[in-house]
Amino acid sequence: MASSFNFGAILLMTLLAACFSECFHFPDKAQLELSDVLNKNCGVTAYEDRDRPPYGRFQETPWLALFYYPDDTVHFCHGTLITPNHVLTTAVCANNVAVNDTIIVLGEYDLSTDQDCEGIKCADSVQKRLVKSTTVHPDYNKDTFENDIAVVILNMDVALSESITPICLPLIKFEIGTINQPNVYNTLWTTEARPQQHWMRYVELDECNKLVGDRIQLHEGQICARSFNNKTIEMIGGAGSALEVEYHSRTYQVAMLSIGILDAEPGTPYVYVDVTKYVKWIHNMVKNN
């Protein structure tokens, strides 16, 4: 059964890749059906703009998750909902999680209000969950930040709505650094009540290594991006936030913020986990849990 599935998946991927080069159709069917646990009811909001505003809009990024310690009012990490029961985050964040103690909040938008509204439309209350368990990538290296990725299992499923929706993952890789690809955004809460949406541009790994090489040596599975306008971005508490692209009316997470260089000059790249390299691992973790 497994071998026939693998052969069929490979054949489907080959055919769709050929079509993409000829007719420029994004392989939506494969992205939504190659996994039986990921990309279900994912990545959809009311917004399909190519250019996002600097501040996130009401229910624009309903997959964002915030990590809190019980007595704190400020989050210490981000994550993204990938199923009603699983949150993707970094290994650094997961290693700072206390099982049955750390609180994960979903459905948040404006941190200054108890209930988020726009006009006469109001969202349901945020949903808070405890962490049941965490799975950190077995090859995570705390010195080089290689394989800085983890899956967190919630103690109870969240109820999906317009305010809480999983993000899609790229089951078939698509390049974000080439021409004619959609804009890439890193959306996260920093010191503002509403999430900020930073327009980013991809930085080739060789160039990134030259820019940050005196502080950290980058490896396969890590990619870099910097502010499109060469701004310095406040990233404290932003680890685990998604690098997102909108394509064919769905939002995909192509990477995840791992580290920022302290005291960096404006325009210095930030280091991200290349989510496309870990889709099989993520699928297996979710499938087995």
Side-chain angles (χ1 to χ4, degrees):
M1 181 69 177
S3 61
S4 63
F5 170 80
N6 290 337
F7 175 77
I10 292 171
L11 179 61
L12 179 61
M13 291 167 66
T14 302
L15 291 172
L16 287 171
C19 178
F20 185 72
S21 64
E22 294 293 332
C23 50
F24 300 98
H25 288 313
F26 191 70
D28 300 301
K29 184 176 178 65
Q31 293 285 12
L32 300 178
E33 296 183 6
L34 279 181
S35 170
D36 57 349
V37 291
L38 300 174
N39 289 8
K40 307 306 175 191
N41 303 311
C42 66
V44 177
T45 72
Y47 307 96
E48 298 178 9
D49 312 47
R50 176 178 172 83
D51 299 324
R52 296 187 187 179
Y55 287 91
R57 292 167 287 190
F58 181 65
Q59 297 179 330
E60 184 170 16
T61 47
W63 35 81
L64 299 184
L66 292 175
F67 289 53
Y68 289 87
Y69 295 121
D71 297 326
D72 288 352
T73 57
V74 178
H75 61 275
F76 68 90
C77 268
H78 281 66
T80 47
L81 190 72
I82 56 174
T83 82
N85 193 234
H86 298 83
V87 171
L88 186 67
T89 191
T90 66
V92 172
C93 290
N95 283 337
N96 283 283
V97 161
V99 172
N100 295 322
D101 192 47
T102 298
I103 300 168
I104 296 183
V105 178
L106 292 130
E108 187 62 272
Y109 168 60
D110 189 333
L111 300 178
S112 67
T113 62
D114 292 330
Q115 185 176 28
D116 295 327
C117 297
E118 185 178 70
I120 62 172
K121 182 178 181 180
C122 290
D124 295 334
S125 299
V126 300
Q127 296 182 44
K128 298 180 180 181
R129 296 291 185 267
L130 297 178
V131 175
K132 179 180 178 181
S133 64
T134 63
T135 302
V136 172
H137 195 284
D139 296 323
Y140 166 61
N141 186 314
K142 63 186 175 91
D143 296 318
T144 64
F145 295 95
E146 290 179 87
N147 307 303
D148 184 20
I149 191 168
V151 173
V152 172
I153 302 177
L154 307 178
N155 68 326
M156 185 171 62
D157 286 11
V158 293
L160 301 184
S161 67
E162 291 180 284
S163 298
I164 302 179
T165 302
I167 196 168
C168 299
L169 299 180
L171 303 186
I172 295 178
K173 182 178 181 179
F174 54 97
E175 299 294 336
I176 63 171
T178 55
I179 194 168
N180 294 329
Q181 288 298 318
N183 293 352
V184 184
Y185 288 90
N186 192 169
T187 303
L188 71 164
W189 280 273
T190 54
T191 57
E192 304 283 346
R194 290 185 291 155
Q196 293 178 284
Q197 305 192 117
H198 298 286
W199 184 17
M200 308 294 287
R201 57 178 168 175
Y202 178 71
V203 179
E204 294 290 346
L205 196 60
D206 289 344
E207 180 186 353
C208 190
N209 258 321
K210 293 176 183 177
L211 295 171
V212 303
D214 59 329
R215 309 190 190 193
I216 184 173
Q217 186 65 33
L218 303 179
H219 300 82
E220 183 179 2
Q222 295 171 307
I223 65 173
C224 295
R226 62 184 169 197
S227 164
F228 196 88
N229 299 312
N230 289 329
K231 295 180 179 179
T232 300
I233 302 172
E234 176 59 73
M235 292 289 194
I236 295 176
S241 58
L243 200 62
E244 307 171 359
V245 298
E246 186 277 324
Y247 214 87
H248 283 205
S249 303
R250 292 181 186 271
T251 300
Y252 287 80
Q253 179 173 358
V254 294
M256 177 171 56
L257 181 63
S258 176
I259 56 174
I261 307 301
L262 295 177
D263 303 321
E265 295 293 326
T268 300
Y270 299 89
V271 180
Y272 293 79
V273 180
D274 185 354
V275 169
T276 63
K277 300 283 188 182
Y278 298 94
V279 165
K280 182 178 179 181
W281 179 82
I282 297 168
H283 167 86
N284 291 340
M285 290 304 100
V286 173
K287 182 79 171 177
N288 295 331
N289 291 279

